Amino acid sequence: MTRILGIETSCDETGIAIVENGRKILADIVASQTALHAQFGGVVPELASRQHIITIAELTARALEKCENKVDAVACTQGPGLMGSLLVGVNFGKAFAYARNLPFIPVHHIEGHLFAAFLEHPDNTTGTPQYPFLALVVSGGHTCLITCPEPHQYTILGTTRDDAVGECFDKVARLLGLPYPGGPAIQRAALNGDPHAFEFPRAMSKRNSLEFSYSGLKTAVLYTLRDLGNNAQENPSTLANLAASFQYAAIDILVEKTKLALTLTGFKRLVVAGGVAANQLLRSRLTNELDCPVHIPPLPLCMDNGAMIAAAAYSRLQHGFSGNLSATADSSLPLT
Ligand code: KG4
Ligand code: ZN
């Protein structure tokens, strides 16, 4: 039995978890800073790192109560992310590992998101993913399609040339006068809207391209608002139509590119990861339209959390990695 303390502080959530054998969550605490940053319309890096410093030790103590204070290894997001925030988690984790003479396992944030699908959870109805699989990673910082033929082997097939899809949700929400984070706010606003009221463009829809681009979609919403004039977004039905049409276009790109990637690679299993995987339209379209097993983490595990980091670290230990106390935070750590 291996219990791993998982630490995630790459952005604005302090996530601390204890996971047994890479699957069973014994503790999973996420202290969200959303309220702190909402007043500024987005994450303020300096405030984020200060808040991690305030919360991290107390959250860890609370998590350790769930496992009689016994862990066998410490895992932490090494990058990518906000440098100040990463530094808090990495240095706290290294100090903890050093003091207890435990292995310290640095984890790539995207790899962590992928391992959320491996965690046991009452809402996980699709079981543990088997290799090989195709992964669609969609978050505030990433939009990419990746092949994973074997554990910890990744090939990036396509990524975004500009904004990430979650970032686009956040920016469009701002244009529409909706709160941060934009994804859940747009999903709510879209509920009573017509997804075809406005036809927004699908960038990079060229045949056989697995690259993404989201800045044009954001600009299209901006121009539409300007053409409608008179603060059109303040009219509830216009707002609902704009939100629904934007959401439809943003998600349609993801679904179509994923289908294309499955066809081009011949892979027959999909894992979806990252905060935007919480989007109901994306979840239902992928589940209903794809002719292969689709693993999407339960809603609470889509967002940044420590459990996914511990799960990834367990697999790394299983595959021969023995820990590295000299690892340092890296804000632009590459996956491959
Ligand atoms: O993975 P995550 O928690 O943090 C990063 O690693 O970036 O993802 C956060 C992103 C935000 O941009 C947020 O707006 C988006 O995920 N998001 C959503 C939804 N819930 C969160 N986007 C669309 N629909 C949602 N329901
Ligand atoms: Zn994330």
Side-chain angles (χ1 to χ4, degrees), residues 8 10-11 13 77 80 109-110 112-113 137-142 273-276 302-305 308:
E8 155 59 43
S10 67
C11 190
E13 258 109 29
T77 303
H109 185 71
I110 288 185
H113 272 302
V137 179
V138 280
S139 73
H142 303 277
V276 183
C302 288
M303 309 303 163
D304 291 348
N305 63 82
M308 67 188 199

Side-chain angles (χ1 to χ4, degrees), residues 149-160:
E150 294 173 38
H152 312 290
Q153 283 199 12
Y154 305 107
T155 302
I156 297 176
L157 302 176
T159 184
T160 181

Side-chain angles (χ1 to χ4, degrees), residues 101-115:
N101 200 19
L102 300 174
F104 175 76
I105 305 143
V107 172
H108 191 284
H109 185 71
I110 288 185
E111 179 166 84
H113 272 302
L114 293 179
F115 275 87

Side-chain angles (χ1 to χ4, degrees), residues 173-184:
R174 217 177 159 155
L175 292 176
L176 298 179
L178 295 169
Y180 172 85

Side-chain angles (χ1 to χ4, degrees), residues 11-154:
C11 190
D12 62 341
E13 258 109 29
T14 319
I16 302 289
I18 317 276
V19 176
E20 197 170 276
N21 293 346
R23 301 259 191 280
K24 188 172 176 197
I25 300 175
L26 302 182
D28 182 18
I29 311 172
V30 178
S32 170
Q33 303 177 6
T34 302
L36 176 68
H37 300 289
Q39 56 188 310
F40 303 103
V43 178
V44 182
E46 181 62 25
L47 289 181
S49 48
R50 286 173 191 228
Q51 194 60 29
H52 288 309
I53 292 172
I54 292 168
T55 50
I56 195 164
E58 195 220 315
L59 295 192
T60 305
R62 269 171 52 200
L64 288 169
E65 283 170 13
K66 306 277 175 166
C67 63
E68 295 85 40
N69 199 16
K70 288 199 193 85
V71 288
D72 306 294
V74 182
C76 180
T77 303
Q78 182 184 12
L82 301 173
M83 194 54 179
S85 293
L86 289 167
L87 278 169
V88 177
V90 168
N91 287 313
F92 181 87
K94 281 172 35 171
F96 189 98
Y98 181 74
R100 295 198 180 197
N101 200 19
L102 300 174
F104 175 76
I105 305 143
V107 172
H108 191 284
H109 185 71
I110 288 185
E111 179 166 84
H113 272 302
L114 293 179
F115 275 87
F118 290 72
L119 289 160
E120 286 173 7
H121 189 282
D123 296 340
N124 179 352
T125 51
T126 47
T128 308
Q130 308 293 309
Y131 293 90
F133 59 77
L134 175 80
L136 171 69
V137 179
V138 280
S139 73
H142 303 277
T143 310
C144 45
L145 283 157
I146 302 170
T147 50
C148 309
E150 294 173 38
H152 312 290
Q153 283 199 12
Y154 305 107

